[in-house]
Amino acid sequence: MASSASPDLKIQLMATGENSGAWGTITNNNLSAIEEAIARSTDITFAADAPTAAVTLTNTNALQAGRNYRLNLVGTGTAGHVLLLPTVEKSYLIDNNLTVDVSVRNGTAAGTNLFNTQTVPAGKSAIVYTDGSAVTSAVNSASAMEVLNTLSVGGAVSVGTT
């Protein structure tokens, strides 16, 4: 469980009666921080000469990419792209609009916490969850699914009796 000092949980408190009858700046900032975490989207840009992008969080209520729910990966590149997520508990929807696969992990560009990664294939999307030290797929099964276009299978398939 994240502590109250975690960057993704920064909430400012109001004294009793403060901002009475008005939302006030503190409440507006708190609500914006919550909105980012559940509904906002941001672009994360990659370049061939900068194949690693780090999403960071600070201990403020300022708007910041690492708090957004949806990360839209854009830019160019060849191979070996890495998206580094903050080392806090959080879920992300990652849309990989690049022409290369991207490895998603926790840690820093200096090389900490580079294990337990998820790969988001080129042109695909994934929902991932990080506990602060590992990134895992948030969806590993579906009870029902409708395929509207061609179904492509990249590995072994088991089909039930019906």
Side-chain angles (χ1 to χ4, degrees), residues 75-152:
T76 60
T78 52
H81 279 14
V82 176
L83 176 64
L84 297 173
L85 298 178
T87 54
V88 296
E89 292 182 69
K90 177 132 176 45
S91 296
Y92 292 95
L93 168 61
I94 299 174
D95 291 327
N96 184 358
N97 293 294
L98 302 170
T99 58
V100 297
D101 295 351
V102 174
S103 175
V104 181
R105 55 182 76 151
N106 284 112
T108 65
T112 62
N113 298 333
L114 299 183
F115 302 104
N116 298 357
T117 66
Q118 290 295 307
T119 298
V120 182
K124 304 295 181 189
S125 298
I127 299 173
V128 300
Y129 171 79
T130 174
D131 64 3
S133 63
V135 177
T136 58
S137 177
V139 179
N140 60 15
S141 70
S143 60
M145 189 177 301
E146 180 180 351
V147 177
L148 300 177
N149 293 307
T150 303
L151 174 63
S152 235

Side-chain angles (χ1 to χ4, degrees), residues 36-62:
E36 277 184 302
I38 62 174
R40 284 212 182 142
S41 177
T42 191
D43 288 348
I44 306 297
T45 304
F46 285 86
D49 62 342
T52 299
V55 179
T56 60
L57 282 172
T58 59
N59 197 13
T60 70
N61 262 355

